[in-house]
Every structure is written in C-alpha cells, then in structure tokens.
Amino acid sequence: MTPMRDFSIRTRLMLVISVLLVLLTIVATLSYRGFQSLSHSANDLVDRKVRLALLANRANQHSQTAANHLLRLLLTQERDARVPLYAAMDDALGAADQALKQFEAAGAEKEIAGDMVTLRALRDSYGEAFQETVEQIELAGPHSAKGHFEKETEPALMSLLAATDRLAVTLQDEMQGEAQRLTAEAETAQQRIVIVGLFALLCGAALGGLIARGISTPVNEAAAIAEGIAAGDYSREIPSTGNDEIGSMLRAIGVMRQRIAEREAHITRIAYVDELTDLANRAGFLEDFSRTDRTNGALLLLDIDRFSAINKALGHSIGDAMLRGVAQRLKAVLGEGDLLARLWGDEFVLWLSSADEHNAVGAAERIRSALSEPLTLDGQLLDLDASIGISLFPLDGTELSQLLRRADNALRWAKRRHSGVALASHEDDEQTPEHLSLIGEMRRALTEDHFVVFYQPKLDLKTRRVTGAEALIRWRHPERGLVPPGKFIPFAEQTGFISEITPWLVNRVVRDTARWHREGVQLVISANLSTQDLLNAELIEGIFAALDKEQLPPAALCLEITESALMDEPELALKHLDLLAQHGVKLAIDDYGSGQASLAYVKDLPVHELKIDRVFVTDVDTKPKNAAIVRSTVLLCQELNLSVVAEGAEREGEIKWLTQNGCDMVQGYGVAKPMPMEEFDQWVRKYNQPNSASPL
Ligand code: C2E
Ligand code: CA
Ligand code: CA
C-alpha cells in the first residue's frame, strides 16, 4: 500500500486542498504581477513616448509659427508694424525652445541621445540663421533680408522640422516595437498562467484520483469481504492496511469476521455435535447423510442393553463415561465414507456406505464383539451388550426417515428376541398379510368376547398350597381354534393394539380374583404387562379403578414385567411402577435370566417377586450349570427379600430339587397346565382342600 495510507483521509484531503490552494495562489499572483507589469509598461509607453512625440510636434509647431512671423516680418516695411511681430516671434521661439528643453529632459534616454545632439545643433543653426535674418531686416530692410531668409533660415528650419519629424517617426517606431514587446510579454504571461493553471488542474486531478482510489479500493475490498461473510466465506484475505480510517474499518471487519466465524462454529457445533461423545447428533447425522452419495449401504441402529439400569445403579457420570467408551469403540469400525452419530440416550446410528446385507451383519457382529470387551470405568469392570437393527438402502427404503424407522423396528425385534442383531427384512416376516388382517380380527375378538383367560397355578413349595396363579390370554378363534398368545401378542404390541387388550384382561382378572376372594379362595393372581402398558398412565388409573370397584385388596393382584419393559422410557416406567407399588399392587420380574437383567438393578426396583426363566429351571436337577444359576438366584433373592418363582418345571425331579434348594414357588406343567377359569376354579378348590391328596 502507498505510504499515503498512513495518513488519515481527513489529513489527505486537507493536504490536497492546501496544495491546490497554493497552486491557485501562484497562478493568481503570476497573473496579477504579469498584468500589473504590462499596464505599467503600457503607461510608461503612453506617458513617455507619446509625450516626447507631442513635445517634438509642439516644438515644430512653435518653430513654424516663429518662421511664419518671420515671413510676415519680411513683408512688413514699417518699423512700427514690425514691433508686435517681434514680440510674437520671441514668444513662439521661446515656446519652441521650451518644448525642446522639455523634450530633452523627458527623452534623456540613450536611444535618442544622438538624435538630441543633432536636433539641438539644428535648432542652434536655425536660431542663428533666424537671428541673422532679423538683424538684416533691421539693418538692410526686409527686402534684402529676404534673400538671407530663403538661403539660410528657411533651409535650417526645414532641416530642423525634418529632423524633428524623423525623431517623431523613430519614436513612433519604437513605440510600435515596445507595443509588440508588450504583446509578446502578455502572451508569455498568458502561456505561463495557462501552463501553471493546467499544472494545478492536473495536480488536483491526480491527487483527487489518488485519494479517491485510496478510498474506493479498500472500500470495495471491504464490501467484497462483507459479501463473503454473508455468503459464509471467511477465507478472503483482509489486505494489510494503513493507519487511516479505512485501515481501522478493515481491521474492525477482520475482527468482526473472526468473531462471527467463531460464534458460527460454536453454534454449528451445538446444533450438530453431541457434546458428550463428540459425535454428530441427530441433526448432524441428517445433514451428513444428505451429503452422501448413495448407491447402496446399510443403516445400523444400535441400542445398549441395560443402559438405563446401569445408569441408575452406577450413576450418570459412569453412564456418560460408558457412552463415551462406546462412541470410541464404534469409531474404530468406521471406514471411509461411513457415518456415526448418537441419536439420543444410548441409541447410536451408523451408516455403512456401500455395505450389503452380508457386510452389514458382519459389521454388526464385529461391533457387538468390540463392545463386549469389558470396559473399565471408575475402577469397575462393565460388560456391555448391544442390540442392533439393520435396514438396507435401497431395499428397505431410500429416505432416511424410512431407513431409520425400519432399522428401529428391527432393533425392537432384536431386543424382543434377544437376538443381538436383526435385519429390517426380518421384521417384515411379521408383516405378512395374515398379520395385517389380524388387527381387524383382534378388534372383533374383543367386542365378540373371543379372548379368554387361562389360569396356571403357582404352588407354594413350603406350604404345598396353591396361593396364586398366572393369567394367560388365549384367543378362541372361530376358524383357527385356540390361538396361543405368542401368535398375536407380539403383533398387538407392535401395532399398539395391546393398549386395548391389557385393560380388558386386567378387568377380567380383577373381577375373577375378587369373586374368589368373596368365596374364600384367597389367591394372588398375576397378569402380564407389556412395555407400552407400563408407559400408559390411563391403564394404571384403570387398574386402580377396577380394584376399587371390585373391592379387591391391591395385594391380591400381581403384575409381571420384563426388564426390557423398562428400557424405552425408564423414567416414566419407574414412576408408574412406584405408583403401583405404593398402591399395594405386587410386582414381579418375569423371565429373569433370559434377558439382561441383573440383580444389581432389580434390587432398586419396587418389586416383590422374581420369576426364573424356564431355560434355567428345565433339568435343574441334572444340569449343574442351571442348578448353580438357580441356587445363587434363590440365595440373592432371600437376601433381598424377594420371593422366587421357578417357571416351567415339568418333572417331579425338578420340583423336588427346587423345594430342597429353598425356592418359594413353582409354576409349570409339573403342577398344572394353564386352564380356563371354570376349570381352574374347580381345580384349585380341590387342590387346596385340607385332606386332598395333592398330586405331588
Ligand atoms: P410367560 O409370561 O413366560 O408365561 C408363561 C408361559 O410359559 C405360558 O405360555 C405358559 O403356558 C408356559 N408354561 C408354563 N409352564 C410351562 C411348562 O412347564 N413347560 C412349558 N413348555 N411351558 C410352560 P403362554 O401361555 O403361551 O404364554 C406365552 C407368553 O405370552 C407369556 O410368557 C407371556 O409373556 C405372554 N402372555 C400371555 N398372556 C399374556 C397377556 O395377557 N398379556 C401379555 N402382555 N402377555 C401375555
Ligand atoms: Ca408371565
Ligand atoms: Ca415368564
């Protein structure tokens, strides 16, 4: 940049204006002085030369007048008549002399000094000749003097007049020369003024242009930078600038741009990045995904098993550290073009570009095995398990929302089946036309009373009495016969229809139980709750209302939940469990051992009973591994004051083993299969008769 830029614009403008003012002053002074000298010279010229010419003329005139008087004298014979003429003649000669003297005094210049000598000589000789003629007139009479006059005086006068005339002409010539010189001088002055004027004009224009450029160039740069900022381009170089106002403006723009960029980066970060794991968040993932080139690929939706339980049992800081650990491990499986984000809570999403079904399942298995390496957090070893749902592009959808939904369904499917990984196409298996017609049929089944409740007894192994039963739903289908719950409950859960089935079942159960109570058959009846049921506040209210209406003590009702029921929205589910427990309703953990539940978190739940899953009970008397699991569970439950129910005991050996190992209750074909209400009613009355011979 020019050194000019070190001065402020104000200073620069003042500088330029000052320079222009000085130049204009010079022009004005030059013109003034030029014209002053011209007028001076002109005055001089008029004064002197004109006066000289005038004096020369006057001298001539007076000389001629004197000569005329002399001529008249020559013609005048009488002496007396000549006397006044002498006087007039003297006057004329005196005046001529006077004029010549003045001429001499005024024209004391070198140029005409020579002429003056000649002129004076001529005047003297004329004067002498004149005097001689006068003397002759007086001595010899006018007539004889006439000859002298013609011979001497007249020629002397002529010479004098001629010389005077010549001098006048010379003076005139000189005057002309002088005038020409003055004209030339005036022209030179004019040219000089024009040149200086033009120079001032050019100077002004150049300086003005320089300043204008010095202002407009950086202002344009500033405008371009501002436009760049508006367009999100922060890379434009800000010119290193001078110390003037524009320099400060550009520096301010630079600072402003930096701040804007920082703030924007911060906002973008907050909007698109998950603070906890540093991965993209949901919005970031949508953004990144929209920018991928897709021909095929797989979307993996991952959910950590038991996360809310771990979070609750070990605290949020461990939970957070765990999520960071998971993020770290997930990052390791990413290839080029793959995306990873945390959608919310413990749910992560991966986009594996160009993965097919085979690759995707392989990647999912790799992720699961990477996660299963125990994680050390705060000195604690944590085993992690995750379920993964996979949807494939373009097979399962081309829109992200579609892919996410399908992957989510697959994830739920994987969780329900404890399969770890599931493809969206599996979830399809359940969406057969047969299933679709099911929903309408289920609705009809409810209104036409085709659902029935079977009761399966629970035997107290210490008292050998049946103290309770589990209510299990069946569908008495007009064409298909008795449909087991496994065939329609999962579908009812998926479609939300479960929210109509459960209230119906609970009402039926409360009604039956209340009747038994009135008739002296004291039973605690269990009903199964699904995940959505636990989030349904209306259902909880409905349960209380039903208990109230039937005047059934709440402790006569037990609700069975699986730990997966607590996964979706643990806060709300727990709130409802607390409400139920406070009301006095009993709660049981169902299928214990098959899922991810651990006693560490079960102990914090307001539950009263634990039902060990059938897989551990089967052959418990012959399989040491099962025996070990059941035994330790029984011991822990005793510690925690939970009653233990063994599910699915079919053989006498199993029941005997369970009795000997301190199990509280048993439920299984070994005691009885689930029965319709009326059948169970008779069965239980008979079984609990004091003198009845129990089958066991
Ligand atoms: P669950 O809660 O584990 O119920 C116990 C299941 O084990 C019942 O199957 C029962 O018939 C079966 N079972 C009992 N003892 C034995 C045995 O000794 N051996 C064998 N092999 N099986 C035995 P069911 O009735 O088919 O019910 C299946 C599942 O359907 C239930 O598993 C429960 O999760 C669900 N379910 C049943 N009724 C309802 C209901 O009203 N609502 C909800 N949400 N789910 C229900
Ligand atoms: Ca159950
Ligand atoms: Ca069960």
Side-chain angles (χ1 to χ4, degrees), residues 5 21 56 80 85 152 201 204 261 270 275 290 316 330 460 465 467 502 528 535 566 574 594 628 669:
R5 296 295 310 275
L21 279 177
D80 293 340
L85 282 175
E152 296 289 336
L201 214 70
I270 294 173
E275 291 263 18
S290 69
H316 285 276
L330 289 178
D460 187 315
R465 288 174 67 84
T467 53
T502 311
N528 294 284
L535 304 175
L566 287 162
L574 272 170
S594 70
Y669 294 173

Side-chain angles (χ1 to χ4, degrees), residues 355-377:
D356 58 11
E357 176 178 333
H358 181 73
N359 304 142
V361 172
E365 292 300 352
R366 272 202 308 286
I367 288 169
R368 291 191 75 232
S369 78
L371 291 181
S372 68
E373 293 282 317
L375 203 69
T376 318
L377 292 175

Side-chain angles (χ1 to χ4, degrees), residues 5 241-255:
R5 296 295 310 275
T241 51
N243 295 319
D244 62 357
E245 294 88 332
I246 302 233
S248 347
M249 182 183 80
L250 281 171
R251 274 190 294 279
I253 288 178
V255 173

Side-chain angles (χ1 to χ4, degrees), residues 477-692:
H477 198 279
E479 288 112 47
R480 283 182 253 202
L482 203 62
V483 182
K487 284 269 197 274
F488 61 92
I489 290 291
F491 182 70
E493 286 173 340
Q494 256 175 48
T495 55
F497 193 72
I498 193 77
S499 66
E500 296 184 43
I501 293 179
T502 311
W504 173 87
L505 178 113
V506 171
N507 274 314
R508 183 58 60 90
V509 165
V510 170
R511 201 184 68 190
D512 290 348
T513 315
R515 192 173 44 75
W516 282 316
H517 270 246
R518 284 197 297 275
E519 293 169 4
V521 184
Q522 306 287 328
L523 293 170
V524 176
I525 305 294
S526 304
N528 294 284
L529 289 192
S530 294
T531 308
Q532 293 106 302
D533 294 330
L534 216 48
L535 304 175
N536 183 354
E538 233 174 89
L539 174 73
I540 311 297
E541 289 300 316
I543 293 171
F544 296 158
L547 290 168
D548 224 41
K549 186 181 161 218
E550 297 291 339
Q551 299 276 292
L552 181 68
L557 180 66
C558 179
L559 297 172
E560 298 188 359
I561 52 163
T562 57
E563 35 111 10
S564 63
L566 287 162
M567 281 186 173
D568 275 10
E569 267 182 71
E571 267 89 49
L572 188 58
L574 272 170
K575 186 186 139 194
H576 289 157
L577 283 186
D578 281 333
L579 274 176
L580 287 165
Q582 275 161 26
H583 202 79
V585 175
K586 295 252 174 293
L587 297 170
I589 293 288
D590 203 359
D591 302 338
Y592 180 77
S594 70
Q596 313 294 321
S598 72
L599 278 172
Y601 105 93
V602 165
K603 77 174 163 47
D604 292 325
L605 296 173
V607 295
H608 313 86
E609 185 179 287
L610 198 92
K611 299 184 80 173
I612 304 177
D613 197 77
R614 201 177 73 212
V615 289
F616 305 107
V617 175
T618 304
D619 300 331
V620 72
D621 53 336
T622 56
K623 277 191 182 154
K625 209 176 163 192
N626 281 9
I629 291 169
V630 174
R631 197 179 291 123
S632 64
T633 309
V634 168
L635 285 173
L636 274 164
C637 282
Q638 283 168 353
E639 284 285 303
L640 298 171
N641 219 6
L642 290 173
S643 85
V644 196
V645 181
E647 280 191 306
E650 296 184 358
R651 291 183 293 104
E652 207 171 317
E654 291 159 352
I655 297 174
K656 200 165 163 201
W657 188 97
L658 291 164
T659 316
Q660 285 165 356
N661 283 278
C663 187
D664 299 305
M665 279 192 264
V666 71
Q667 175 190 344
Y669 294 173
V671 179
K673 285 198 172 182
M675 300 165 259
M677 193 271 286
E678 298 78 11
E679 196 180 315
F680 172 74
D681 182 87
Q682 285 178 11
W683 184 92
V684 78
R685 286 172 202 265
K686 192 165 166 231
Y687 191 94
N688 281 350
Q689 264 171 17
N691 52 355
S692 83

Side-chain angles (χ1 to χ4, degrees), residues 181-287:
R181 191 182 59 80
L182 283 176
T183 312
E185 221 171 74
E187 269 168 12
T188 321
Q190 236 169 22
Q191 275 168 6
R192 216 177 289 149
I193 288 162
V194 166
I195 286 169
V196 176
L198 273 177
F199 177 69
L201 214 70
L202 282 176
C203 266
L207 286 173
L210 218 70
I211 287 183
R213 222 185 53 156
I215 296 168
S216 71
T217 311
V219 164
N220 286 341
E221 273 164 2
I225 291 166
E227 272 162 20
I229 295 173
D233 170 18
Y234 300 133
S235 63
R236 265 188 103 101
E237 202 184 319
I238 292 190
S240 60
T241 51
N243 295 319
D244 62 357
E245 294 88 332
I246 302 233
S248 347
M249 182 183 80
L250 281 171
R251 274 190 294 279
I253 288 178
V255 173
M256 176 186 83
R257 184 174 75 172
Q258 198 189 337
R259 296 284 181 278
I260 290 178
E262 281 167 6
R263 270 202 291 277
E264 194 178 274
H266 183 64
I267 291 168
T268 311
R269 224 193 119 66
I270 294 173
Y272 293 113
V273 176
D274 169 41
E275 291 263 18
L276 181 68
T277 59
D278 234 21
L279 299 180
N281 60 14
R282 181 179 282 271
F285 183 73
L286 295 182
E287 185 76 16

Side-chain angles (χ1 to χ4, degrees), residues 8 40 47 49 52 62 86 104 112 139 151 160 217 229 348 439 465 487 505 529 540 609 625 632 645 653 670 682:
S8 75
H40 210 79
D47 264 17
K49 307 277 162 150
L52 278 177
H62 288 302
Y86 277 127
E104 229 173 326
I112 54 162
L139 291 176
K151 214 172 124 219
L160 177 67
T217 311
I229 295 173
F348 293 83
I439 197 155
R465 288 174 67 84
K487 284 269 197 274
L505 178 113
L529 289 192
I540 311 297
E609 185 179 287
K625 209 176 163 192
S632 64
V645 181
Q682 285 178 11

